[in-house]
Amino acid sequence: MGVSVHPARTANEELAQLIEASGMSHHALARRVNVLAEQAGLVFSYTHTSVTNWTRRGMIPRSPVPAFIAQALAEGLGRPVDPAEIGMPEIRESPRQVGLDFPRDAHEAVRTATRFWSTMHRRTFLTAPFAVGAYSTPVTRWLAVPADPDAAHLGRYRVGRQDLDALWAAAAEAQRSDSKYGGGTGKASNVTTFLNERALPLLRGHYPDAVGKELYAGTAELARVAGWSALDMGHHSLAQRHFIQALRMARAGGSLSVGCHVLTNMALQSTLRGYPDEAVDMAQGAYDRARHQAAPRVLAFAKLIEARAHARLGDARSAAGALASSERLLERADSEPGDEPTWISYYTPARMAADAVEIHRDLGLPAAALRWNNRAEPMPASAFTRSVGLRMTVLATAHLQHRDLDQALAHGQRAVTILSQVRSTRATDYLAGVVRDMAPWHRDPRVAHLSHLARKAIAFSRTGAVA
């Protein structure tokens, strides 16, 4: 008998509904699947209990059994049935392509997300390369049509306020954990399990348009947090897939604010991966498409990331213009709070100033970078451990540009101390950058000592073990 690929631990409502519509009993369906398998030269002995496992426990038998189930139901319904329609999508495309699609149809988008979120444990996603070109179609389609016309869906389980609140709460908690401890922590990484086991079943439920729009938007934010956590751990191909699915869910929910935020995250990832030119286009597109509907703070963050991309290109004038726009929008957000989403509350004037330090460091303007640092308010390491550690690494390199080794060592030492508590490949990459930039002073014993401590912190962050 075929062994299930994984226990989803959630009921397969689609399959249950189609079995009921076909008029087949569980006994009859199991017998027909066995017959179809025998005709294909395979021997199975499925029973009514097997069908119950498929419907109530969400177990998925190995290929080609989902195709046999779909065929049996098609005979009863008198129409074609695809395995994806019964909640058992067959992965026909290469594993490296899973999660990169951006379907025009919302229902197909849910099936695409199901294929990805139910197979994202594959090591293929962790080892596949980041491809900025994979963002081309998703970005184009979202910019052209950022909202689907109707988010209503018919299903057995009625989605309510409690379900929606649980989605937003899970995303907020994962974001807090990620900010404090890095993307490698349990709460941050387990959001992917929540997506698969809680969000997807809700998307198959029963809800009117208004509820559906918020459900899709909440799912998009969950996927964005999952993507950011993967990015933070250096799993850029996995992050890219989460971001694409998040953008598609935002479109299904008609949420320009969420979509703008997701696209801005995609722009930042592209900048970090060495594609600042493409990142400028993404950040500008995110801002322009949402400028008349998104909250000022959301738009301000898009302008900040545009400034960071310009800085990586060495375009000081454009970076200054985007940063000034971000500052004006933040001032507007603080003076006219309005209806602002809670998930963007992290972007404050202090955060902007901290990023401005990095922008001017990247532009090779250390004096300006240090002036911006004086404007940045102290952030408690207890609440923003990774963010404070990253800021210390940027300050260290800015001081090196200023030829001030003593200050660079002081900030580098603090960065090592703080980031030793974090599981974040991105943070350790920044720390490694400090060590590289100190190469001209390698004969100084203080530099050698800091390099040794940095290597230990990097080893711990990436493996959880002390070097």
Side-chain angles (χ1 to χ4, degrees):
M1 186 176 295
V3 181
S4 66
V5 175
H6 61 87
R9 293 181 291 188
T10 55
N12 187 333
E13 295 287 349
E14 292 119 316
L15 178 59
Q17 290 175 28
L18 287 174
I19 292 175
E20 182 177 352
S22 72
M24 299 181 75
S25 68
H26 285 195
H27 284 287
L29 177 59
R31 285 197 302 270
R32 185 56 184 158
V33 169
N34 291 336
V35 169
L36 292 172
E38 184 178 357
Q39 292 173 354
L42 302 171
V43 178
F44 293 129
S45 54
Y46 289 115
T47 67
H48 69 285
T49 301
S50 305
V51 179
T52 299
N53 287 336
W54 300 337
T55 56
R56 294 185 182 178
R57 296 180 60 194
M59 296 180 71
I60 301 178
R62 293 190 184 280
S63 181
V65 177
F68 296 148
I69 299 172
Q71 183 177 342
L73 290 172
E75 294 170 356
L77 293 167
R79 65 170 179 82
V81 175
D82 187 88
E85 190 179 350
I86 63 172
M88 297 182 182
E90 292 187 317
I91 309 302
R92 295 187 179 92
E93 65 264 61
S94 164
R96 288 181 177 268
Q97 296 303 312
V98 175
L100 296 177
D101 290 336
F102 193 92
R104 289 189 173 88
D105 179 72
H107 297 298
E108 180 58 31
V110 173
R111 289 193 283 270
T112 295
T114 299
R115 284 196 295 272
F116 169 53
W117 288 330
S118 65
T119 58
M120 61 193 168
H121 62 281
R122 290 174 182 261
R123 185 164 181 79
T124 304
F125 299 146
L126 302 183
T127 58
F130 171 81
V132 72
Y135 278 150
S136 178
T137 296
V139 171
T140 299
R141 288 186 179 175
W142 186 80
L143 292 176
V145 184
D148 289 334
D150 185 18
H153 188 264
L154 297 177
R156 287 191 173 186
Y157 177 78
R158 185 174 294 276
V159 179
R161 182 73 256 166
Q162 186 174 359
D163 299 307
L164 299 176
D165 290 344
L167 289 183
W168 292 113
E173 178 60 26
Q175 181 167 294
R176 283 192 295 270
S177 178
D178 172 88
S179 179
K180 185 173 183 180
Y181 300 115
T185 60
K187 288 183 180 178
S189 56
N190 284 346
V191 71
T192 55
T193 301
F194 195 98
L195 276 167
N196 196 37
E197 298 184 1
R198 297 286 297 279
L200 283 175
L202 291 178
L203 290 174
R204 301 171 189 141
H206 185 93
Y207 43 84
D209 179 62
V211 173
K213 280 183 166 54
E214 186 174 351
L215 173 59
Y216 277 114
T219 302
E221 173 60 7
L222 273 167
R224 184 201 67 80
V225 175
W228 186 253
S229 297
L231 179 155
D232 194 56
M233 288 306 295
H235 301 149
H236 286 280
S237 180
L238 180 62
Q240 185 170 36
R241 288 162 166 79
H242 279 304
F243 288 149
I244 289 173
Q245 300 313 308
L247 191 65
R248 187 59 189 86
M249 293 296 107
R251 171 171 150 167
S255 178
L256 280 167
S257 287
V258 173
C260 176
H261 195 216
V262 172
L263 185 48
T264 301
N265 277 243
M266 293 160 64
L268 180 53
Q269 182 191 29
S270 299
T271 297
L272 296 173
R273 296 310 294 163
Y275 299 95
D277 204 20
E278 290 84 347
V280 168
D281 292 337
M282 290 182 198
Q284 289 178 340
Y287 173 84
D288 289 339
R289 200 66 179 84
R291 63 186 304 179
H292 298 300
Q293 294 191 41
R297 200 175 303 272
V298 176
L299 298 173
F301 187 64
K303 280 298 177 183
L304 174 78
I305 301 310
E306 181 189 339
R308 289 189 59 166
H310 283 306
R312 291 292 178 98
L313 287 168
D315 187 345
R317 182 177 180 179
S318 296
L323 187 60
S325 295
S326 183
E327 187 170 20
R328 286 194 297 270
L329 285 161
L330 267 184
E331 291 171 353
R332 179 180 156 199
D334 289 336
S335 62
E336 307 170 13
D339 186 15
E340 183 177 274
T342 57
W343 42 257
I344 195 61
S345 61
Y346 68 87
Y347 187 47
T348 63
R351 165 66 192 271
M352 182 200 68
D355 276 53
V357 176
E358 185 169 356
I359 287 169
H360 289 86
R361 188 280 311 269
D362 288 346
L363 289 168
L365 301 171
L370 296 176
R371 284 196 299 272
W372 271 102
N373 183 60
N374 293 333
R375 291 183 53 181
E377 299 173 4
M379 298 173 67
S382 58
F384 302 99
T385 309
R386 183 190 57 204
S387 297
V388 174
L390 287 171
R391 181 176 169 186
M392 292 301 105
T393 66
V394 173
L395 276 173
T397 51
H399 280 294
L400 287 173
Q401 288 180 349
H402 214 243
R403 311 302 291 178
D404 188 341
L405 180 60
D406 290 340
Q407 284 295 320
L409 285 166
H411 286 96
Q413 177 66 59
R414 190 177 178 207
V416 168
T417 301
I418 293 172
L419 295 179
S420 294
Q421 309 169 47
V422 170
R423 295 294 305 280
S424 166
T425 300
R426 182 167 61 100
T428 56
D429 286 345
Y430 272 59
L431 194 55
V434 175
V435 174
R436 287 195 304 271
D437 287 354
M438 285 187 176
W441 294 271
H442 68 278
R443 294 183 185 277
D444 190 312
R446 297 173 300 168
V447 172
H449 179 63
L450 180 63
S451 298
H452 172 68
L453 294 177
R455 284 193 293 271
K456 290 178 65 175
I458 291 170
F460 172 78
S461 178
R462 293 179 175 174
T463 66
V466 177

